[in-house]
Amino acid sequence: MKIASSDNASTKVRLDKWLWAARFYKTRGLSSEEIDKGRVKLNGANVKPSREVKAGDVLELRIGHEVRTVVVRALSGVRGPAPVAALLFEETPESLRQRQEAAELRRLAPEPAHSQPLGRPTKRDRRHIEGMKKDARPDWNDRWSASMDAE
């Protein structure tokens, strides 16, 4: 894999291609879509996928719920192994700290929907639900003020 050094000014790499080569996105098409949706900012500005990246540029990426801020360290238009791709950028200490805090919050307060069982309730679950409904439901005679038994 060929990594262009920062002193070689003749090497030009598109933003979408660099994001793909740095393994932020699985395909170049996905990286292009994310840039078009405004989820990638280059030096604080929304840009097009064809924008050229230079060493020293600051990228802000929003991937899912995570926001990552990285500094471009090297250029490459070829996707290679992950250890080599990791050399293309450096995440800022502030970004690392924010991601760790968010991970800790997710660990301490998990999403309530994740505790729900998946799929339809079983027969046993349905019987339990019906039993709870009957306990909560008032008796027929309790619902009406004029009862035949009152005479």
Side-chain angles (χ1 to χ4, degrees):
M1 179 169 149
K2 187 177 183 181
I3 297 178
S5 63
S6 59
D7 60 344
N8 187 358
S10 65
T11 304
K12 296 179 181 178
V13 180
R14 292 170 50 113
L15 177 59
D16 59 345
K17 200 170 192 177
W18 185 87
L19 288 169
W20 167 73
R23 294 183 165 260
F24 285 106
Y25 300 103
K26 206 169 198 174
T27 65
R28 189 170 162 193
L30 277 175
S31 66
S32 183
E33 283 178 24
E34 295 298 303
I35 296 167
D36 286 335
K37 290 178 183 177
R39 294 180 183 156
V40 176
K41 293 185 179 193
L42 178 67
N43 296 325
N46 288 331
V47 292
K48 293 182 178 179
S50 60
R51 179 74 176 262
E52 292 176 1
V53 182
K54 302 180 301 277
D57 284 345
V58 178
L59 290 169
E60 186 178 309
L61 309 161
R62 196 173 77 226
I63 303 172
H65 294 292
E66 290 184 353
V67 177
R68 297 178 77 173
T69 306
V70 297
V71 179
V72 177
R73 291 293 172 216
L75 301 177
S76 177
V78 182
R79 189 173 171 103
V84 177
L87 300 174
L88 297 177
F89 64 92
E90 179 184 339
E91 190 166 2
T92 62
E94 178 67 21
S95 175
L96 283 170
R97 187 186 59 74
Q98 287 177 348
R99 285 195 318 128
Q100 288 173 347
E101 286 176 0
E104 184 67 17
L105 284 174
R106 283 192 307 270
R107 188 183 69 79
L108 293 175
E111 178 68 29
H114 292 159
S115 64
Q116 293 292 323
L118 299 175
R120 295 175 56 181
T122 63
K123 190 171 188 177
R124 181 179 178 190
D125 293 337
R126 285 195 308 272
R127 286 179 180 158
H128 180 72
I129 291 168
E130 289 298 320
M132 290 189 324
K133 284 182 181 177
K134 285 181 184 176
D135 293 340
R137 191 179 315 150
D139 190 31
W140 176 260
N141 291 331
D142 295 338
R143 290 179 53 185
W144 301 100
S145 60
S147 173
M148 292 185 71
D149 296 334
E151 294 180 19

